[in-house]
């Protein structure tokens, strides 16, 4: 059923790097929720695998003295969803990872696998874009920190060089402190469904909760890779929290997204979703931030 030519078990992060260099055609396997499906379908028949599943050093959520939240790349979706640090400071991410697949997938799937597979539909990706996440990449030259927007190079392509693996997702205090967010996923089913479109919005409001100090809008399946609506964000910074501003967001994101036709949904339907979901996610983010905004 699984046509695998060899599998190598990494004993540490450094050992994983050595194995990847020694076997340059090998693919990394963690939880296996993506890789094993591809092997079974024949898309990776005869492959070599480097397993990092046993590396507990890559699991868990921590916050350092400067307030940076670090999520190890092998941390499962179910762990992230329940983690008290994530629940308190990154609630939109907690929500997003709880929409991945079903309970079995969330128990085995990892945030590192979700980002490194490079697909635009990854539920965690648009939310991590809205949190300005930075990915910790470890390789033969040591560690380099890559902003998540620079990590995605194209459909299914990410900035992992020979011998490298993603070891953590990092979100600095300046990227989460004072922000509240909300993630919306649209799919034909409530579980075990790949997103037709996803939208994540983070807002920081003024002290009186009436002005937008900052906003970040992330999308999945609105372009070949996950994306941010930077132009829209720039337009609404400093504006009043109002239905008019919300409508401006909905209209403006249509100038930035680039969805396509597929068997899941037409381009026109996805454009409708992008507008509607941006407005709804903004409304809920404002409410979580303590602001008031009518439906």
């Amino acid at each position: 059923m699984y046509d695998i030519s060899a599998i190598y078990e990494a004993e540490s992060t450094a050992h994983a790097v050595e194995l990847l260099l020694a076997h340059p055609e090998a693919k990394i396997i963690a939880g296996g929720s993506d890789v094993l499906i591809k092997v079974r379908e024949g898309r990776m028949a005869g492959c070599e695998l480097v397993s990092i599943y046993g590396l507990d050093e890559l699991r868990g959520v921590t916050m350092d003295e400067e307030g940076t939240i670090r999520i190890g790349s092998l941390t499962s979706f179910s762990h992230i969803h329940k983690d008290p640090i994530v629940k308190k400071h990154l609630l939109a991410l907690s929500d997003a990872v709880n929409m991945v697949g079903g309970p079995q997938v969330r128990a085995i799937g990892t945030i590192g696998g979700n980002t490194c597979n490079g697909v635009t539909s990854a539920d965690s990706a648009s939310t991590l874009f809205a949190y300005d996440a930075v990915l910790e990449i470890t390789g033969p030259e040591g560690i380099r920190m890559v902003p998540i927007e620079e990590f995605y190079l194209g459909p299914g392509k990410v900035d992992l060089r020979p011998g490298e693996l993603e070891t953590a997702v990092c979100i600095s205090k300046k990227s989460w402190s004072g922000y509240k967010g909300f993630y919306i996923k649209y799919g034909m089913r409530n579980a075990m469904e790949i997103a037709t479109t996803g939208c994540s919005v983070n807002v920081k409001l003024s002290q009186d909760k009436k002005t937008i100090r900052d906003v970040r809008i992330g999308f999945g399946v609105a372009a070949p890779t996950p994306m941010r609506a930077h132009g829209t964000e720039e337009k609404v910074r400093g504006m009043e929290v109002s239905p008019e501003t919300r409508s401006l967001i909905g209209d403006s994101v249509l100038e930035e997204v680039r969805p396509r036709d597929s068997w899941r949904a037409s381009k026109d339907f996805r454009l409708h979703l992008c507008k509607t979901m941006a407005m709804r996610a903004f409304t809920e983010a404002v409410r979580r931030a303590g602001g008031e905004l009518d439906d």
Side-chain angles (χ1 to χ4, degrees), residues 121-185:
S121 58
D123 287 301
S124 69
S126 56
T127 305
L128 292 174
F129 269 59
Y131 278 114
D132 273 340
V134 176
L135 305 183
E136 177 188 282
I137 309 298
T138 302
E141 306 301 320
I143 293 174
R144 61 191 181 98
M145 306 301 289
V146 182
I148 193 165
E149 283 196 78
E150 298 176 12
F151 186 64
Y152 286 81
L153 304 179
K157 298 179 181 179
V158 295
D159 185 17
L160 282 177
R161 302 167 187 173
E164 290 188 333
L165 67 156
E166 179 192 305
T167 46
V169 175
C170 301
I171 301 173
S172 67
K173 185 174 182 178
K174 68 178 183 179
S175 294
W176 61 257
S177 182
Y179 289 88
K180 297 296 181 182
F182 196 82
Y183 173 71
I184 297 178
K185 172 182 180 176

Side-chain angles (χ1 to χ4, degrees), residues 66-286:
E66 296 180 350
T68 295
I69 297 172
R70 184 180 189 275
I71 305 172
S73 289
L74 282 186
T75 310
S76 70
F77 299 121
S78 57
H79 182 121
I80 295 169
H81 170 61
K82 298 174 183 177
D83 185 86
I85 294 175
V86 176
K87 283 283 192 184
K88 183 176 181 179
H89 302 296
L90 308 173
L91 184 56
L93 180 61
S94 174
D95 293 342
V97 298
N98 199 41
M99 297 183 193
V100 176
Q104 299 94 332
V105 173
R106 293 193 292 271
I108 196 71
T110 65
I111 196 165
N114 206 223
T115 49
C116 288
N117 63 18
V119 299
T120 185
S121 58
D123 287 301
S124 69
S126 56
T127 305
L128 292 174
F129 269 59
Y131 278 114
D132 273 340
V134 176
L135 305 183
E136 177 188 282
I137 309 298
T138 302
E141 306 301 320
I143 293 174
R144 61 191 181 98
M145 306 301 289
V146 182
I148 193 165
E149 283 196 78
E150 298 176 12
F151 186 64
Y152 286 81
L153 304 179
K157 298 179 181 179
V158 295
D159 185 17
L160 282 177
R161 302 167 187 173
E164 290 188 333
L165 67 156
E166 179 192 305
T167 46
V169 175
C170 301
I171 301 173
S172 67
K173 185 174 182 178
K174 68 178 183 179
S175 294
W176 61 257
S177 182
Y179 289 88
K180 297 296 181 182
F182 196 82
Y183 173 71
I184 297 178
K185 172 182 180 176
Y186 179 86
M188 298 300 290
R189 300 178 297 184
N190 290 328
M192 297 302 293
E193 177 73 334
I194 296 173
T196 302
T197 304
C199 180
S200 193
V201 176
N202 277 356
V203 299
K204 178 186 281 188
L205 301 183
S206 59
Q207 189 170 359
D208 63 5
K209 309 300 182 183
K210 294 183 178 181
T211 304
I212 302 168
R213 291 182 57 191
D214 193 19
V215 62
R216 304 196 203 105
I217 305 169
F219 281 105
V221 208
T225 64
M227 60 162 287
R228 280 269 297 275
H230 288 289
T232 301
E233 295 169 2
E234 186 66 28
K235 287 179 184 178
V236 301
R237 287 191 188 101
M239 293 187 68
E240 179 184 355
V241 175
S242 68
E244 292 75 21
T245 299
R246 176 175 56 197
S247 295
L248 173 61
I249 289 172
D251 291 335
S252 180
V253 296
L254 294 181
E255 300 173 8
E256 301 190 75
V257 296
R258 294 178 290 120
R260 63 181 179 88
D261 289 312
S262 77
W263 67 269
R264 292 185 182 277
S266 67
K267 175 182 177 180
D268 287 343
F269 183 52
R270 282 198 169 102
L271 287 169
H272 170 73
L273 288 174
C274 289
K275 177 177 180 175
T276 303
M277 293 169 74
M279 294 168 65
R280 290 181 180 176
F282 172 73
T283 298
E284 296 303 323
V286 165

Side-chain angles (χ1 to χ4, degrees), residues 3-67:
D3 183 4
I4 300 170
S5 64
I7 184 166
Y8 310 99
E9 295 277 354
E11 298 175 358
S12 65
T13 300
H15 186 218
V17 172
E18 293 176 8
L19 288 170
L20 290 168
L21 289 174
H23 307 279
E25 300 301 318
K27 304 297 182 182
I28 295 172
I29 183 171
S33 56
D34 286 328
V35 169
L36 291 180
I37 290 173
K38 292 178 181 178
V39 173
R40 187 175 61 188
E41 292 178 345
R43 288 183 285 163
M44 290 176 55
C47 65
E48 292 181 298
L49 299 175
V50 172
S51 174
I52 60 172
Y53 187 73
L55 304 185
D56 287 340
E57 64 203 74
L58 301 185
R59 289 186 172 88
V61 181
T62 58
M63 180 188 290
D64 66 20
E65 295 179 355
E66 296 180 350

